[in-house]
Amino acid sequence: MITHDKGVRMSVRTRSANRLSTKIALLTIPILLTTACAGGGTAPAGAAGATKIGFAQGNFGNGWYEVNAKGATDEAKKLGHDLEVVSGGGDPVTQNSQLSNFITKGVAGLIINPTDPQALSSNFSRLKDEKIP
């Protein structure tokens, strides 16, 4: 067991999984923004032609998550697209609901920092079926 900087005890496995999630998110955000925005032109954010992209953050409450969401929002805006950021609050049930809402809204792309990847697998299948990157 390792004690996290906020006094929370974490196993080495959990800490390693968190690091992997962080690395995946950092690598995935620019790729998904580019993929989702590729056909959208350079319309100003909020304009009728702006591409809508979702960002399902696993949780807030840690400065890294907020900086991550702000960076993604700023980059999407620079590219002329709308990015809607939601937090699952660390709850896979909440995050599944948020993913379903994004799919229903017909977002052009979705950035996901999963609370529990296995718990979200049904929505991952839906995203694949809907061809939402």
Side-chain angles (χ1 to χ4, degrees), residues 29 55 57 60 63-75 83 85-86:
I29 290 170
F55 185 174
Q57 187 67 279
F60 283 132
W64 182 88
Y65 294 113
E66 284 82 5
V67 169
N68 183 261
K70 182 174 179 354
T73 302
D74 291 348
E75 188 63 24
L83 181 70
V85 180
V86 296

Side-chain angles (χ1 to χ4, degrees), residues 23-39:
K23 288 176 184 177
I24 290 170
L26 287 173
L27 292 172
T28 305
I29 290 170
I31 294 167
L32 286 176
L33 279 174
T34 303
T35 302
C37 300

Side-chain angles (χ1 to χ4, degrees), residues 3 6 28 41 59 63 74 79 85-86 98 102 127 129:
T3 302
K6 293 190 178 189
T28 305
N59 200 0
D74 291 348
L79 294 170
V85 180
V86 296
Q98 292 168 337
F102 280 132
L127 288 165
D129 292 344

Side-chain angles (χ1 to χ4, degrees), residues 102-124:
F102 280 132
I103 293 167
T104 301
K105 288 179 183 181
V107 295
L110 189 55
I111 301 166
I112 305 168
N113 182 6
T115 54
D116 179 355
Q118 291 179 335
L120 305 178
S121 64
S122 64
N123 272 316
F124 292 155

Side-chain angles (χ1 to χ4, degrees), residues 1-2 20 22 32 42 54 61 72 93 97-98 102 104 112:
M1 290 295 211
I2 296 173
L20 179 60
T22 300
L32 286 176
T42 57
V93 174
S97 176
Q98 292 168 337
F102 280 132
T104 301
I112 305 168

